[in-house]
């Protein structure tokens, strides 16, 4: 998606260890106009699917997910990273965080993920695919169906894209980065959408 790639080139910053910092328009300060354009693009790409719920993980997935939910008029559930003392009937799974180098639990109430749900997962980054694997597990535990996974930015030099595409679930990434070597942002040409 050209608009996102141009913005990444303009405002994205490379950090050591293959991390792209986008906190001036996605992860901290947010650009709602760009968020809306990205959500429109997800809606276009997933138009072939029957979806009745959007799922994401707090915190950075919430903004794009709620934009998609707003456009499609669907509820948006976010997996929580801290288990609320008031939450009963929880589904829990462990996720390894690439950026924080540690594992943490994510949880969703069984009240908001049911057997007849057809769920679309939206998140900011696809790196090693651990967040995606966690969502696959939660949706499976609920007996629901994960029909698609949409990421704003995929880093193709990490393994998540290959792993998640092997599940057969439709995966869409709006900007795919081939390399951040020498702090130069290079996009994958094959996916130049
Ligand atoms: P994964 O679970 O696919 O390994 O990593 C996805 C999660 O890690 C994302 O939700 C995001 O929060 C974080 N992440 C992974 N790579 C990056 C990156 O390059 N930059 C930022 N800002 N977050 C990242």
């Amino acid at each position: 998606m050209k608009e996102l790639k141009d913005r990444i080139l303009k405002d994205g910053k490379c950090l050591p260890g293959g991390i792209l910092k986008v906190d001036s328009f996605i992860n901290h300060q947010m650009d709602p106009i760009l968020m809306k354009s990205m959500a429109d693009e997800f809606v276009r790409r997933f138009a072939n699917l029957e979806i009745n719920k959007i799922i994401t993980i707090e915190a950075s997935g919430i903004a794009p997910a709620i934009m998609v939910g707003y456009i499609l008029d669907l509820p948006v559930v976010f997996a929580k990273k801290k288990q609320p003392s008031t939450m009963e009937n929880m589904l829990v799974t462990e996720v390894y965080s690439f950026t924080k180098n540690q594992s943490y639990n994510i949880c969703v109430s069984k009240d908001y993920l049911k057997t007849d749900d057809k769920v679309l997962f939206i998140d900011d980054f696809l790196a090693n695919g651990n967040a995606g694997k966690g969502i696959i597990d939660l949706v499976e535990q609920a007996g629901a169906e994960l029909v698609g996974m949409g990421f704003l930015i995929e880093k193709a030099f990490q393994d998540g894209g290959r792993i998640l595409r092997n599940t057969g679930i439709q995966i869409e990434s709006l900007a795919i980065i081939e390399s951040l070597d020498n702090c130069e942002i290079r996009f994958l040409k094959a996916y130049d959408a």
Side-chain angles (χ1 to χ4, degrees):
M1 183 189 169
K2 186 170 184 317
E3 194 181 344
L4 173 59
K5 293 200 289 189
D6 288 348
R7 188 63 177 270
I8 292 169
L9 290 176
K10 182 169 159 271
D11 292 330
K13 307 254 177 316
C14 286
L15 298 185
I19 305 259
L20 179 68
K21 202 167 174 221
V22 287
D23 66 352
S24 66
F25 59 104
I26 291 177
N27 285 141
H28 190 14
Q29 174 171 264
M30 292 178 281
D31 178 340
I33 305 296
L34 178 63
M35 278 299 172
K36 164 75 167 48
S37 303
M38 295 190 290
D40 283 334
E41 181 63 16
F42 279 136
V43 168
R44 192 183 68 76
R45 293 191 190 195
F46 289 115
N48 57 313
L49 298 179
E50 195 189 320
I51 304 162
N52 74 333
K53 189 165 281 185
I54 313 295
I55 195 164
T56 188
I57 302 181
E58 67 176 343
S60 299
I62 293 177
I66 204 155
M67 284 282 185
V68 174
Y70 180 75
I71 296 165
L72 294 176
D73 192 14
L74 294 176
V76 179
V77 179
F78 66 91
K80 296 191 176 226
K81 290 181 175 164
K82 274 226 172 79
Q83 179 181 335
S85 57
T86 51
M87 196 193 281
E88 291 166 351
N89 297 323
M90 268 191 339
L91 304 164
V92 184
T93 195
E94 193 179 84
V95 170
Y96 176 75
S97 166
F98 158 74
T99 43
K100 299 198 176 77
N101 195 18
Q102 64 180 45
S103 292
Y104 59 94
N105 283 340
I106 56 169
C107 59
V108 167
S109 164
K110 281 183 191 162
D111 293 342
Y112 306 123
L113 209 47
K114 304 259 195 202
T115 49
D116 52 355
D117 281 332
K118 295 186 184 309
V119 186
L120 173 65
F121 174 53
I122 297 289
D123 205 5
D124 59 345
F125 274 91
L126 170 56
N128 290 315
N130 294 308
K133 283 192 254 175
I135 290 295
I136 289 173
D137 185 39
L138 285 184
V139 172
E140 252 173 36
Q141 287 183 46
E145 188 186 349
L146 189 64
V147 294
M149 305 178 104
F151 301 92
L152 303 180
I153 302 169
E154 173 175 342
K155 296 188 294 181
F157 55 88
Q158 290 176 268
D159 239 8
R162 189 186 52 77
I163 293 166
L164 296 185
R165 284 187 181 86
N166 275 341
T167 64
I169 297 168
Q170 184 178 342
I171 313 288
E172 299 287 346
S173 301
L174 303 187
I176 304 186
I177 292 175
E178 183 176 46
S179 144
L180 292 173
D181 291 349
N182 307 316
C183 268
E184 188 199 335
I185 301 169
R186 285 217 332 262
F187 293 104
L188 201 65
K189 285 282 183 300
Y191 286 86
D192 232 359

